[in-house]
Amino acid sequence: MKLTGREKSALFFEGVVTVALLILINVAVIGIIQGVIQSNPGLASGIFIIKQSLWFGPYHTQIWSYQRIVIGLLMLLDGWVVWWRLKRRYHQYQMDHIIAELHYIAQGHLDHRIPFRLKGSEQHVITSVNALVDSAVQSMNDERQIEKSKDELITNVSHDLRTPLTSIIGYLRLIEDKQYHSEEDIVKYSHIAYEKAKQMKTLVDDLFEYTKVQQHGAPVNMMTVDLSQLLEQVSASFELEGQKRGIEVSSATQPTPLLVDADPEKLGRVFSNLVANALKYGNGASYIKIDARQVGASVVIEVANDGTQIPAASLGHLFERFYRVESSRSKDTGGTGLGLAIVKSIVDLHHGEVEVTSTPQVTTFTVILPLHQTAAAAQG
């Protein structure tokens, strides 16, 4: 930290004043000592005898003047006093600069940091202040991002609910206003309204599940789960739908049984969503395979299909809520854009990782989970 010209002048003036005062004090002290000695012949004789008996070095150098000893001691004391006073004043100037920087930051200049470095405890103060400002700015940015995220959530939900709701109201109004020509028209309009209502329910259910797993401290019912049985149940639940589409759904684990600490309901939702996603969007697929294997202290589960390749530009956004690779196709299939976001949230609750790769031959979603959640929580 550099002092200003004014501070340097003030520091120099204080040093000069301090030295002048010390000189006056020294003269007064020496005068008082001399007066005391001269007024007391016995004391003067004692000092003379002591002086004659003290000698130093090989040449027997004697102390020939006690005044020099007193003056030397006073000069040492004076030097320490001047150093202490100037150091104290310098530290005060440092704190003044730190306080000025704090006032500047407090006025709204949150991109500013205290630029200079000091020694000792003052540097700890500067480091703490800069860290505090960084933390405050990060908290504000996070808060803005949360607000933006909430606004986007409301906007997306409103849009996705309005579209099927408009269709439901439209077709029911046709029936209400008797704008149909036959009973077949009534059945047709009712069926369309019913399908749109199911689409709305799916969106509401997915939204509820997503917000539930996103909440801080979301409850997770951990227990020991046989992953072999869980994946068999998932593949069996989609077997009929897969047959209709000409897709074989299968699962395999190594070793068997494969035990893992997890919330069975939430983990089942993860793989159900991944298989459902493959069925909806894996155009041209002939198989969906769920393979799980133990790798050290983790378990790796892959959900793979040989359907249409996912564009490379979309791979990094698949786990974002409401993201759709093809919005028109999602409307046809009834996708909400929340399925993979729910997968990511549940995997995070289990201290795991999820990623996706896609080539013209195969698209693979890979979930990596710790076998034991206690160790994972301690590391996380």
Side-chain angles (χ1 to χ4, degrees):
M1 185 198 76
K2 294 183 179 180
L3 298 180
T4 63
R6 183 178 179 182
E7 290 171 341
K8 290 179 180 178
S9 298
L11 201 62
F12 175 77
F13 178 75
E14 182 169 351
V16 171
V17 171
T18 303
V19 170
L21 290 174
L22 290 173
I23 290 174
L24 293 176
I25 293 173
N26 292 343
V27 171
V29 170
I30 293 173
I32 292 172
I33 293 174
Q34 287 180 340
V36 171
I37 294 174
Q38 290 175 0
S39 63
N40 192 334
L43 180 58
S45 299
I47 292 175
F48 178 78
I49 295 171
I50 294 174
K51 181 179 69 174
Q52 292 295 323
S53 62
L54 294 177
W55 49 267
F56 299 94
Y59 300 102
H60 300 278
T61 303
Q62 293 183 337
I63 299 175
W64 59 272
S65 175
Y66 73 89
Q67 289 92 341
R68 291 203 173 189
I69 296 178
V70 174
I71 291 173
L73 293 175
L74 290 176
M75 288 180 64
L76 290 176
L77 181 61
D78 293 345
W80 181 83
V81 171
V82 171
W83 173 82
W84 178 78
R85 287 278 298 176
L86 295 181
K87 181 180 180 181
R88 182 180 177 186
R89 181 63 64 184
Y90 181 69
H91 285 174
Q92 181 179 344
Y93 288 148
Q94 288 179 336
M95 292 306 299
D96 290 341
H97 279 270
I98 294 174
I99 293 172
E101 295 285 341
L102 283 174
H103 283 306
Y104 183 75
I105 295 173
Q107 290 171 358
H109 303 91
L110 297 180
D111 57 339
H112 181 73
R113 301 294 180 272
I114 300 178
F116 46 82
R117 296 187 62 84
L118 303 175
K119 295 181 180 180
S121 59
E122 288 81 2
Q123 182 58 40
H124 294 302
V125 173
I126 292 174
T127 303
S128 298
V129 169
N130 288 339
L132 179 61
V133 176
D134 288 337
S135 177
V137 171
Q138 183 62 42
S139 297
M140 293 172 62
N141 291 336
D142 291 344
E143 187 68 24
R144 293 193 189 100
Q145 187 62 36
I146 291 173
E147 291 299 324
K148 180 182 178 181
S149 181
K150 289 180 180 179
D151 293 340
E152 291 177 351
L153 178 63
I154 294 173
T155 300
N156 289 326
V157 171
S158 300
H159 176 270
D160 284 8
L161 286 176
R162 182 176 59 184
T163 302
L165 185 60
T166 300
S167 297
I168 291 172
I169 294 175
Y171 283 105
L172 291 180
R173 180 174 295 169
L174 291 176
I175 298 175
E176 181 73 15
D177 296 341
K178 299 182 180 180
Q179 296 182 17
Y180 51 85
H181 300 90
S182 64
E183 184 177 346
E184 287 77 9
D185 288 342
I186 298 178
V187 174
K188 176 183 176 181
Y189 297 160
S190 300
H191 177 72
I192 294 175
Y194 173 70
E195 290 298 326
K196 294 297 181 180
K198 288 199 302 181
Q199 184 178 339
M200 286 181 61
K201 184 179 184 302
T202 300
L203 174 61
V204 172
D205 290 342
D206 285 348
L207 181 62
F208 175 75
E209 181 67 24
Y210 175 76
T211 54
K212 185 170 66 174
V213 297
Q214 280 288 328
Q215 290 176 356
H216 180 70
V220 182
N221 183 25
M222 291 294 181
M223 61 180 65
T224 300
V225 179
D226 185 351
L227 199 58
S228 307
Q229 293 183 358
L230 187 145
L231 297 181
E232 286 179 3
Q233 292 174 4
V234 171
S235 61
S237 64
F238 287 95
E239 185 176 358
L240 183 59
E241 184 176 354
Q243 289 176 356
K244 293 179 181 179
R245 298 171 181 262
I247 300 175
E248 180 184 1
V249 183
S250 62
S251 65
T253 57
Q254 182 65 35
T256 301
L258 181 53
L259 303 180
V260 61
D261 292 344
D263 184 321
E265 180 181 354
K266 288 182 170 58
L267 201 58
R269 181 67 182 267
V270 167
F271 299 111
S272 293
N273 282 9
L274 290 177
V275 174
N277 185 78
L279 286 171
K280 288 179 181 179
Y281 307 125
N283 293 338
S286 62
Y287 68 82
I288 298 175
K289 295 180 179 179
I290 313 174
D291 294 318
R293 64 186 184 276
Q294 182 177 343
V295 180
S298 302
V299 59
V300 178
I301 309 100
E302 295 179 344
V303 180
N305 72 87
D306 59 344
T308 304
Q309 180 183 7
I310 300 174
S314 299
L315 291 178
H317 303 282
L318 286 181
F319 298 103
E320 298 175 4
R321 64 188 184 197
F322 295 109
Y323 181 81
R324 300 180 176 98
V325 176
E326 297 177 20
S327 59
S328 59
R329 185 179 70 177
S330 296
K331 291 177 181 178
D332 294 337
T333 57
T336 65
L338 287 172
L340 295 181
I342 293 172
V343 167
K344 178 69 166 59
S345 298
I346 294 177
V347 171
D348 288 343
L349 286 177
H350 286 75
H351 306 95
E353 300 175 6
V354 59
E355 57 187 24
V356 57
T357 58
S358 186
T359 66
Q361 292 75 32
V362 63
T363 295
T364 304
F365 286 85
T366 304
V367 178
I368 304 174
L369 299 173
L371 286 175
H372 303 292
Q373 286 298 318
T374 303
Q379 294 176 359

